[in-house]
Amino acid sequence: MAVKDIVQVWDGKEIIRDNVEFLMEPTKKVKFPLSTNTKEIISDLIDTYQATPCAGVAANQIGYNKNIFIGKKNDLDHDKDFIIHINPKIDKTSDESMQSGPEGCLSIPEKTFIMSRFDKITIRRYDENGRKKIDKLNGFISRLFQHEMEHLQGRLMIGGKIHDEMPVDKAVEKIYDELSNYYSQHNNDLNI
Ligand SMILES: [Zn+2]
C-alpha cells in the first residue's frame, strides 16, 4: 500500500528515455484469481489515484506492467468514486459518434492536447473477482477510458488523433518535439 511516483516522459528539462520505453511497452494481461502481487498493484493504484488530482491512472504509469487502470466512475468534478478496470477492451465504436476536447496526461506534464476520440463506445472489463462487465460509455468517461486503454497498449498521447495543442512555454515545446521524433522512430505502426 503506497502512493507511487508517476512515470513521466520528461523531468521538465530532458526526456527520460527509460521511462518513455517503459510506457511504450504493451502491458501484460491479468490472470484470475488475482495474485497477491496484483492485489498490491491495485491497492497502490487506489492510493495513488486518491492522492493525485486526476481522472485516472494506468498501472504502467506507476511502474507496473499490468493490464489494469483506475478511473473516475462519474463525470462529476469533486467525485473521486472510482472503478478498477482489469483487462479492459473496447468492443464497439462508430466513426459517426465522435467527440473532441482537451486532455492532459500525468506522464506528460504541462502539455494539453485537443484530442479527437470516439463518443459512444461499448466496453468490457473484469472486476477484482474476475467477473466480466459490459458497459456503454459516452462523453468524458468514454474519453477517459480510451486514454487509459492507450496507456495499457503502450501508446502515449504523442502522434495520432491530436487536433491541436494548447500553447505552452518554449522549453516544454522543445522537449515535446524531441520526444515526438524519438517516438515516431520507435513506433512505426502508430497510424491510429
Ligand atoms: Zn495519461
Side-chain angles (χ1 to χ4, degrees):
M1 298 241 298
V3 175
K4 306 287 280 187
D5 287 336
I6 301 289
V7 178
Q8 297 183 329
V9 296
W10 58 55
D11 60 9
K13 287 198 185 94
E14 279 179 37
I15 294 169
I16 309 164
R17 307 223 176 254
D18 286 352
N19 287 1
V20 177
E21 269 162 35
F22 179 73
L23 289 171
M24 282 166 61
E25 253 175 70
T27 53
K28 294 196 178 103
K29 264 200 151 180
V30 173
K31 293 195 184 101
F32 293 100
L34 296 183
S35 66
T36 309
N37 180 250
T38 303
K39 286 180 189 166
E40 280 168 13
I41 292 172
I42 291 171
S43 146
D44 286 353
L45 271 172
I46 295 170
D47 290 346
T48 308
Y49 170 80
Q50 286 175 334
T52 311
C54 67
V57 185
N60 48 351
Q61 287 185 284
I62 58 166
Y64 299 116
N65 186 331
K66 281 279 181 193
N67 206 251
I68 312 170
F69 79 84
I70 183 169
K72 273 184 98 147
K73 192 173 177 186
N74 307 300
D75 181 13
L76 298 168
D77 277 355
H78 299 293
D79 186 355
K80 282 289 257 185
D81 209 3
F82 60 82
I83 296 180
I84 301 290
H85 301 256
I86 302 174
N87 297 338
K89 196 168 170 278
I90 298 172
D91 283 327
K92 213 170 145 199
T93 61
S94 161
D95 287 342
E96 277 151 40
S97 176
M98 301 295 291
Q99 58 171 325
S100 65
E103 276 177 47
C105 179
L106 294 173
S107 293
I108 314 174
E110 292 182 54
K111 279 291 263 184
T112 304
F113 305 89
I114 310 292
M115 300 290 286
S116 176
R117 295 206 181 269
F118 297 113
D119 186 14
K120 289 179 190 151
I121 58 174
T122 306
I123 63 104
R124 77 172 79 175
R125 65 183 175 85
Y126 293 82
D127 71 11
E128 287 157 88
N129 298 311
R131 279 191 295 252
K132 182 159 92 172
K133 308 277 182 186
I134 307 273
D135 244 326
K136 287 186 194 302
L137 308 179
N138 62 32
F140 177 81
I141 298 296
S142 162
R143 209 155 75 208
L144 170 66
F145 192 93
Q146 292 169 74
H147 180 112
E148 302 303 338
M149 277 293 302
E150 287 186 356
H151 273 301
L152 299 178
Q153 292 165 346
R155 294 172 177 177
L156 291 165
M157 280 200 319
I158 305 162
K161 290 200 292 190
I162 295 168
H163 268 193
D164 206 355
E165 291 165 35
M166 305 281 198
V168 285
D169 78 57
K170 286 244 157 38
V172 174
E173 207 59 66
K174 199 165 158 278
I175 42 178
Y176 176 73
D177 287 346
E178 201 187 316
L179 179 71
S180 302
N181 288 335
Y182 179 81
Y183 196 76
S184 58
Q185 280 162 22
H186 287 74
N187 208 339
N188 295 325
D189 57 351
L190 194 82
N191 297 314
I192 48 173

